[in-house]
Amino acid sequence: MISILLPVYNAENFIESSLSSILNSSYKDFKLVMINDGSTDNSEKIIKKFNDERIALYNKSNSGLVQTLNYGIKKCESEIIMRMDADDKIHPLKLEKQLKAFKE
């Protein structure tokens, strides 16, 4: 399994397409660890619309990217962690190819 660490801060304009790209990946064995770093926009509301058991959403007060990533790493369950930003999109084969390359 792969953990995908995705910090979120006021990303309402991007988060839906980012989440869709992850959830539509050809590789399905992952846990998406999302850390909402005190967003003041609709980011949390948009994330909650995605009803997927692979998503783990944690809310915390704003502390900046580095502290949020350190907090998120502690929430990841697998040895392999892929980091994304809230405005990133991934190719449907990225996880599959990246894991294969990592194992080789």
Side-chain angles (χ1 to χ4, degrees):
M1 183 167 78
I2 298 173
S3 291
I4 301 170
L5 177 55
L6 200 158
V8 178
Y9 180 73
N10 289 347
E12 68 182 0
N13 294 329
F14 312 104
I15 197 65
E16 188 168 354
S17 62
S18 180
L19 280 170
S20 293
S21 76
I22 295 167
L23 296 174
N24 290 322
S25 175
S26 63
Y27 188 81
K28 304 294 182 191
D29 190 18
F30 62 84
K31 187 68 153 190
L32 177 55
V33 178
M34 302 187 72
I35 312 299
N36 181 20
D37 187 31
S39 293
T40 58
D41 65 359
N42 289 313
S43 294
E44 182 180 0
K45 184 177 178 181
I46 294 167
I47 294 165
K48 287 184 174 181
K49 288 195 297 185
F50 287 82
N51 186 21
D52 193 300
E53 62 190 21
R54 296 171 293 177
I55 298 173
L57 175 62
Y58 300 92
N59 291 300
K60 58 183 242 11
S61 58
N62 183 260
S63 62
L65 182 60
V66 173
Q67 288 185 4
T68 299
L69 289 172
N70 287 329
Y71 175 87
I73 287 170
K74 293 175 187 172
K75 301 295 184 185
C76 291
E77 298 172 2
S78 59
E79 196 172 284
I80 301 170
I81 301 172
M82 184 182 102
R83 185 173 123 43
M84 287 186 59
D85 287 318
D87 60 349
D88 290 341
K89 289 193 244 181
I90 63 170
H91 187 278
L93 298 175
K94 177 182 174 46
L95 293 175
E96 189 176 331
K97 289 184 176 190
Q98 191 169 7
L99 184 59
K100 181 181 177 190
F102 183 78
K103 287 181 176 180
E104 290 174 355

